[in-house]
Amino acid sequence: TDTILLSLLSQPTILLIMASFPVDKTHAFGKLILFGEHFVVYKVPALVGAVSAYTDCKLEYTAEPGLEVIDNRPAVPLYKEKKMDEGIEAINLTLTHLGVDTKKRGVKLTFGGDLCCASGIGASAAQVVSIARAVNIADSRSLSEDEINAAGYEGEKGYHGTPSGIDNTAATFGGLLRFQRTEGAPIFDKKTLVSPIRIVYASTGITASTTEVVGDVRAKKEADEAWFAELIGKYTDLCEQGQKAVEEGDMDKLGKLMNLNHEYLQELTVSCKELDDLVLAARAAGAVGAKMSGTGRGGLMIALTPTEEIQNEVASALEKLAPQVWKTAFA
């Protein structure tokens, strides 16, 4: 258990205790990006799938001002330590957006759930969206899902500086989504799948700073606008093909496009040897496609495994190289 206490009293008195705070109603999902990490920042489409694992949050108000955070989420080693300052900033941004002032009334937040925190899985978005749901319950508000999502976006600024909005949208709505930023509200379209998409995802065990990596990509773009324009054009065409493959249930086509997307991300310099090794191992074990997913330079990779047999074989192969491996499906 990780406890962070920012309070005027070391043992605040709890004013509001729900005998059975409905944490199941605060669930916010993790996510894996099929297509579009980094490119999505520049207002082109992305495809993202929510995983079934979730973060939940219990909120209690305390007598004295301050913020207390108890973090019971599972996590890869050093994730919470490296993300601590960003996490506190994200929590405060979310609460401020929702009009909760911890200088006037103390707040105790307890995070749980079965989503293992790792770079690339959307753990930060799941955390801040779960806070918004907890505030909604504790204050007996009637926030819409769009308002929950908006609060999550504000919180994500603490972790990412300029978030794309894709993670908080997946955390809020779940399912498989086509997502695109605009000058105004983001556009997202929930996809209906022909059949579940079986996947394996694995962690490198490396936690990267999203703000830093996004900044590096922006610097490369600004240094060579023509190169970036050509690359994002190729990616945009790939994403449209990928959406069609998803709609038609064409896993072979989808896998080939995932492989190509990984090459584009290598060109952006956001992959790394650890990710590349896992991607190649997954393909060698029978995955029809594999790529990094998320921030990159560590974090996660994802492999497309159309059958249960292939899924098990790929997972077994990756377990020899990766500290954490998971099996799930987009449905």
Side-chain angles (χ1 to χ4, degrees), residues 45 178 180 235-245 257:
R178 180 187 185 276
Q180 186 170 8
Y235 161 73
T236 303
D237 179 63
L238 177 151
C239 187
E240 293 305 317
Q241 292 184 58
Q243 179 178 323
K244 184 178 179 182
L257 293 168

Side-chain angles (χ1 to χ4, degrees), residues 14-267:
I14 302 299
L15 286 183
L16 170 66
I17 301 180
M18 293 187 177
S20 57
F21 190 98
V23 291
D24 60 305
K25 294 184 179 179
T26 68
H27 287 187
F29 303 103
K31 70 88 184 63
L32 290 166
I33 296 178
L34 266 179
F35 301 110
E37 44 274 281
H38 294 287
F39 296 111
V40 71
V41 173
Y42 300 96
K43 300 182 176 63
V44 295
L47 288 179
V48 57
V51 300
S52 58
Y54 61 86
T55 292
D56 59 32
C57 177
K58 180 178 181 180
L59 184 152
E60 299 164 295
Y61 286 115
T62 60
E64 296 296 331
L67 171 66
E68 181 181 2
V69 178
I70 298 176
D71 193 345
N72 295 325
R73 297 175 298 165
V76 300
L78 299 180
Y79 175 92
K80 294 179 187 178
E81 291 83 351
K82 290 183 177 180
K83 298 283 189 177
M84 182 178 294
D85 291 343
E86 294 176 352
I88 292 298
E89 176 69 11
I91 289 168
N92 283 320
L93 285 171
T94 307
L95 293 175
T96 298
H97 176 79
L98 294 168
V100 177
D101 187 350
T102 59
K103 294 179 181 179
K104 294 181 178 179
R105 181 168 58 165
V107 171
K108 177 181 178 181
L109 299 173
T110 303
F111 296 102
D114 60 356
L115 178 66
C116 183
C117 299
S119 292
I121 197 62
S124 61
Q127 182 185 40
V128 292
V129 169
S130 73
I131 294 171
R133 294 198 186 283
V135 170
N136 192 38
I137 292 168
D139 290 354
S140 300
R141 303 189 192 184
S142 299
L143 297 177
S144 68
E145 290 296 272
D146 286 337
E147 289 171 320
I148 295 287
N149 193 30
Y153 179 78
E154 290 302 312
E156 277 278 85
K157 292 178 181 178
Y159 279 104
H160 302 313
T162 307
S164 68
I166 192 170
D167 286 18
N168 50 276
T169 301
T172 302
F173 294 97
L176 186 70
L177 304 169
R178 180 187 185 276
F179 176 93
Q180 186 170 8
R181 289 182 69 180
T182 69
E183 293 299 331
I187 300 168
F188 61 92
D189 177 25
K190 195 165 185 176
K191 296 296 177 185
T192 301
L193 301 179
V194 175
S195 59
I197 299 176
R198 292 178 182 270
I199 58 171
V200 175
Y201 64 103
S203 172
T204 60
I206 300 169
T207 298
S209 167
T210 301
T211 301
E212 180 180 324
V213 180
V214 169
D216 287 351
V217 171
R218 182 179 297 110
K220 287 182 69 66
K221 171 185 178 293
E222 292 173 352
D224 192 341
E225 293 282 1
W227 162 79
F228 190 82
E230 180 181 1
L231 186 62
I232 204 168
K234 291 192 292 186
Y235 161 73
T236 303
D237 179 63
L238 177 151
C239 187
E240 293 305 317
Q241 292 184 58
Q243 179 178 323
K244 184 178 179 182
V246 165
E247 292 169 347
E248 295 176 351
D250 188 341
M251 295 299 102
D252 288 337
K253 178 68 172 178
L254 186 62
K256 291 176 182 177
L257 293 168
M258 290 173 65
N259 293 341
L260 184 56
N261 195 175
H262 186 72
E263 292 180 16
Y264 294 163
L265 293 166
Q266 288 174 314
E267 192 171 345

